[in-house]
Amino acid sequence: MNNKIRSLSGYFHEYQKSIHQPEKFWSRIAESFYWQKPWDKVLSWNFKDPEIHWFKNAKLNITENIFERHLFTHGDKTAIIWEPNDINEKAIHISYKELFERTCQFSNALEAQGIEKGDRVIIYMPMIPEAAIAMLACARVGAVHSVVFAGFSSSALADRINDCKAKMVLTSDGNYRGAKNIPVKAVVDEALEKTTSVEKVIVYKRTDAKVQMKSGRDLWWHEIIEGQNIKHNAASMDSEDLLFILYTSGSTGKPKGVVHTTGGYMVYSQYSFLNVFQYEQNDIYWCTADIGWITGHSYIIYGPLLSGATTLMFEGVPTYPHPGRFWEIIDKYKVNQFYTAPTAIRALQAHGLEPLEPHSLESLKVIGSVGEPINEEAWHWYHDHIGKGNCPLVDTWWQTETGGIMISALAGITPNKPAHASLPLPGIQPIIVDSEGNELIGNNVEGNLCVKYPWPSMIRTTYGDHKRCKDTYFSTYPGMYFTGDGAKRDHDGYLRILGRVDDVMNVSGHRMGTAEVENAINEHPKVIESAVVGYPHDIKGQGIYAYVICDMEGRSEESLIEEIKDTVRKIIGPIAKPDQVQIVSGLPKTRSGKIMRRILRKVASKDVSNLGDTSTLLNPEVIDEIIKGANIK
Ligand code: PRX
């Protein structure tokens, strides 16, 4: 395969080229794709507005690069291996040819149901091949998909539908997840009561659950594809036409729709996949993420399929029906590259080594980590017991907004260092800045992580609100993209990500804004005010700790706490449910009325030996009460 770096000197060489002549570098990479019309200019940009155009005026369809470009060479090759939730259900292997035909068939069905180029389509589906087909068919017809993780509540789903004014929702009757059977169609029905833009709902029959089908709006997937042609002419997309919107949490309450466009995302998701995982033609690759997150988009679907890879999709959860399920799947399919999150590693580590015993894991060549800083203990366990000490472990740092992996070892090529994402990929120019935005040069420096030059798969805007994009990412340090993360460059020049420096938590690898959780808590009628912080959690990385001022009249603490947790579950979803709720009579505030979160974080972490300067507090007396209430010995 083209564009693959094969040695350490090759990496340094490519990196230098990408920095000194970025346009030449990316045009050479992009040339290996199929463009209906070539670009006039590789890159035009400014970070002030911001305005970023990659492969300007080029025309393409990303699915032609997955299918038509590869069919001669590997039409019969397996594109997707699907492993169901239930071990007794049959796994499915779908070849590139079959995936192509089914994508075309569904593309025709979408068009027959009125979907046109530019329409937004929400995908709220389980991890089944049809979810991949749904994404690819949207891309084929030029519709903009927005996948919503199927664990989100009806109101979170409604917010996303309303924000992008979606015309259609693709869903299933129910979802299997571990021992649970989740009635997702009912969630969609509830969401649609709060929305007006959706004209059609397409329902895939997965669990045979009894569902309400609203006449004139709801249609069965199997019925709309009936009789549709398995050939389809791909829409011609401009390189900067929207490919998808993916909602993510920020430090303010409302999730933002991160916009990715077609040409640049295609080039970078494929390039980064190939190089980080060092995928070889006959390898079996498995990423355990859900398609509801960016990792699922870039490294289950687009990156692997653009590379002609065999990508495994797993419907279930790591511990069902037993805690050896991941290891069983690796042996069953002889998985070569395995990519998962530290929270899953820590959860499985807690089961000890017994679940590993029946499994050899000898097929593994590369193991990867994503989503949050991987602590050294988990790194070593993963490296020693899963990678058997001889697989490179790629700790990949990136974000929904970056579209693809930014900082990571290239497996077996650039060195591994525990808990370090290490070096940037070619084309990526990360810098560390101090609080004034001055670049900190050299090694042994720590500060805020920014990127000073565009890369092809970067965020273009936040849907419907360009100012928000500018304010969030391009205004803190003018002329740079600000990641929201802290980082350190160590004495060897390797980058280590230190975690968020804004009010965003990372719970089990999921991003969650403190303000979003606070807004949900405040919906409870008895709540007067709340403040949410993250705290270290053995399995989740960070847990959610909520301090809440309530009107307690006639209520017991225990019942209120349970109701508050339940309110968050209903408004956002189970992933946002606070681990700890502490009822307090006041919150530590400065004279200007700002909550001093630093103190709340310390109390939540049970580390109150040095609370720092509290002299600017308006109400220092609440601190003792909060510490006492937190049961800190
Ligand atoms: O804080 C960083 C953390 O996850 C954030 C991005 O979250 P999200 O957009 O949901 O994307 C997750 C999957 C790419 C980052 O700002 N993060 C992600 N990967 C790492 C990480 N922190 C440390 N090390 C990583 N490898």
Side-chain angles (χ1 to χ4, degrees):
M1 251 178 274
N2 291 334
N3 303 332
K4 194 162 173 188
I5 296 166
R6 293 176 188 278
S7 66
L8 186 59
S9 60
Y11 163 75
F12 286 118
H13 187 68
E14 289 295 295
Y15 191 79
Q16 288 309 317
K17 278 203 295 196
S18 77
I19 300 308
H20 296 299
Q21 292 183 301
E23 293 192 38
K24 194 168 165 201
F25 174 82
W26 286 114
S27 86
R28 203 204 68 223
I29 305 286
E31 270 161 18
S32 65
F33 291 84
Y34 169 64
W35 303 83
Q36 297 165 357
K37 174 183 170 291
W39 49 90
D40 298 334
K41 178 146 178 51
V42 177
L43 170 65
S44 60
W45 68 288
N46 77 69
F47 275 178
K48 193 168 114 329
D49 298 330
E51 210 174 301
I52 295 124
H53 300 272
W54 278 94
F55 310 112
K56 204 167 178 165
N57 295 331
K59 300 277 182 227
L60 74 153
N61 189 290
I62 194 167
T63 68
E64 286 185 329
N65 282 277
I66 290 173
F67 297 121
E68 281 93 333
R69 184 166 68 118
H70 290 313
L71 280 185
F72 286 125
T73 49
H74 51 242
D76 293 330
K77 180 178 173 177
T78 301
I80 295 178
I81 300 176
W82 177 68
E83 169 74 11
N85 179 61
D86 183 344
I87 41 175
N88 297 315
E89 191 177 342
K90 210 169 160 293
I92 293 175
H93 293 242
I94 303 176
S95 70
Y96 271 88
K97 184 164 169 285
E98 187 189 343
L99 187 64
F100 181 37
E101 290 175 354
R102 291 180 64 187
T103 298
C104 287
Q105 186 184 44
F106 197 62
S107 301
N108 287 316
L110 285 178
E111 285 175 345
Q113 296 306 325
I115 290 298
E116 292 171 2
K117 188 169 161 177
D119 287 342
R120 275 81 56 216
V121 175
I122 294 276
I123 300 177
Y124 187 75
M125 291 183 75
M127 286 287 290
I128 54 177
E130 286 70 18
I133 291 168
M135 290 166 76
L136 296 170
C138 285
R140 183 103 186 152
V141 304
V144 180
H145 59 69
S146 185
V147 185
V148 177
F149 173 59
F152 275 121
S153 68
S154 64
S155 63
L157 175 61
D159 286 347
R160 287 154 175 79
I161 292 173
N162 285 330
D163 189 76
C164 71
K165 298 183 188 61
K167 191 166 170 185
M168 181 180 269
V169 176
L170 307 176
T171 189
S172 58
D173 50 354
N175 289 2
Y176 294 124
R177 242 180 110 68
K180 292 190 202 135
N181 186 340
I182 305 162
V184 275
K185 172 62 167 59
V187 180
V188 173
D189 291 341
E190 211 178 298
L192 293 190
E193 282 168 21
K194 301 180 204 124
T195 65
T196 51
S197 59
V198 173
E199 292 170 13
K200 297 259 166 74
V201 177
I202 311 299
V203 187
Y204 183 79
K205 207 181 255 261
R206 172 69 189 116
T207 61
D208 254 334
K210 219 172 138 25
V211 294
Q212 301 278 349
M213 295 293 276
K214 188 171 170 186
S215 108
R217 185 194 74 184
D218 300 352
L219 298 157
W220 288 108
W221 181 296
H222 59 269
E223 287 178 5
I224 66 158
I225 60 172
E226 224 174 73
Q228 291 296 346
N229 202 325
I230 53 167
K231 290 203 171 97
H232 178 272
N233 282 331
S236 180
M237 306 300 288
D238 188 273
S239 179
E240 284 299 338
D241 276 341
L242 270 62
L243 176 64
F244 65 85
I245 305 168
L246 192 54
Y247 285 87
T248 189
S249 283
S251 36
T252 59
K254 194 170 158 258
K256 41 181 183 263
V258 171
V259 168
H260 284 290
T261 57
T262 309
Y265 177 83
M266 170 181 78
V267 170
Y268 196 76
S269 60
Q270 192 272 340
Y271 177 78
S272 53
F273 168 75
L274 192 65
N275 281 293
V276 169
F277 297 100
Q278 290 289 306
Y279 182 84
E280 297 286 339
Q281 260 322 308
N282 295 318
D283 288 346
I284 310 288
Y285 162 88
W286 181 22
C287 165
T288 68
D290 189 281
I291 45 144
W293 313 115
I294 189 70
T295 310
H297 283 58
S298 302
Y299 300 112
I300 295 178
I301 307 294
Y302 287 112
L305 294 179
L306 284 161
S307 304
T310 299
T311 177
L312 197 153
M313 235 179 138
F314 174 43
E315 185 186 33
V317 295
T319 48
Y320 180 80
H322 55 75
R325 186 77 193 271
F326 271 6
W327 323 132
E328 186 177 88
I329 295 174
I330 290 173
D331 272 9
K332 179 172 174 188
Y333 297 105
K334 302 203 170 11
V335 169
N336 302 111
Q337 289 91 3
F338 176 66
Y339 190 29
T340 195
T343 186
I345 297 163
R346 288 189 298 263
L348 295 170
Q349 186 181 358
H351 288 275
L353 295 178
E354 215 184 305
L356 277 167
E357 273 162 20
H359 310 291
S360 83
L361 307 181
E362 65 189 4
S363 56
L364 287 177
K365 298 198 286 192
V366 177
I367 53 177
S369 169
V370 60
E372 55 181 306
I374 178 165
N375 50 309
E376 295 208 18
E377 199 195 337
W379 195 99
H380 284 292
W381 189 85
Y382 192 27
H383 183 258
D384 297 349
H385 297 292
I386 307 306
K388 308 286 181 201
N390 57 22
C391 290
L393 193 171
V394 290
D395 177 3
T396 63
W397 174 84
W398 58 298
Q399 309 178 293
T400 305
E401 295 85 346
T402 70
I405 297 169
M406 303 283 280
I407 305 175
S408 167
L410 309 185
I413 303 239
T414 56
N416 270 170
K417 186 162 187 177
H420 285 67
S422 81
L423 299 171
L425 265 67
I428 308 303
Q429 301 193 36
I431 56 169
I432 297 179
V433 300
D434 65 15
S435 52
E436 266 83 61
N438 303 307
E439 183 170 355
L440 301 175
I441 313 272
N443 294 345
N444 272 326
V445 292
E446 191 176 316
N448 292 336
L449 182 65
C450 294
V451 187
K452 67 177 178 190
Y453 196 83
W455 63 101
S457 63
M458 70 183 296
I459 180 174
R460 299 300 196 269
T461 187
T462 41
Y463 192 79
D465 189 353
H466 193 62
K467 185 169 178 300
R468 191 169 180 201
C469 172
K470 176 178 169 158
D471 292 348
T472 313
Y473 307 104
F474 298 92
S475 298
T476 317
Y477 303 113
M480 292 171 220
Y481 167 82
F482 176 42
T483 64
D485 279 319
K488 178 180 174 164
R489 196 182 301 106
D490 74 1
H491 53 271
D492 293 323
Y494 294 130
L495 289 162
R496 178 176 193 152
I497 309 300
L498 302 171
R500 303 289 305 192
V501 293
D502 53 9
D503 289 326
V504 173
M505 301 171 288
N506 194 323
V507 183
S508 299
H510 303 312
R511 241 163 94 168
M512 196 53 64
T514 52
E516 207 181 331
V517 181
E518 285 163 8
N519 289 350
I521 292 175
N522 298 348
E523 290 286 307
H524 189 287
K526 290 282 179 183
V527 170
I528 297 163
E529 195 180 359
S530 63
V532 164
V533 294
Y535 71 100
H537 186 288
D538 283 351
I539 305 286
K540 296 176 166 185
Q542 273 190 310
I544 301 178
Y545 199 116
Y547 298 88
V548 188
I549 307 175
C550 286
D551 164 11
M552 296 293 294
E553 212 187 307
R555 302 301 306 269
S556 78
E557 259 196 41
E558 288 96 73
S559 69
L560 257 184
I561 289 174
E562 281 319 302
E563 283 176 26
I564 288 169
K565 288 184 180 179
D566 208 46
T567 304
V568 180
R569 191 185 55 76
K570 281 203 193 105
I571 293 178
I572 307 177
I575 52 173
K577 195 170 127 183
D579 299 274
Q580 311 262 5
V581 175
Q582 183 179 343
I583 310 272
V584 294
S585 67
L587 295 165
K589 285 194 181 166
T590 62
R591 281 170 216 288
S592 56
K594 259 189 98 172
I595 296 172
M596 214 184 246
R597 285 171 189 277
R598 177 172 57 79
I599 292 180
L600 297 178
R601 272 190 221 110
K602 286 228 159 201
V603 175
S605 321
K606 301 207 179 311
D607 166 23
V608 289
S609 52
N610 177 13
L611 289 179
D613 181 12
T614 54
S615 62
T616 57
L617 280 182
L618 194 64
N619 52 351
E621 69 285 353
V622 296
I623 297 182
D624 278 348
E625 180 215 306
I626 289 177
I627 294 177
K628 226 192 246 149
N631 272 332
I632 298 174
K633 305 275 171 326

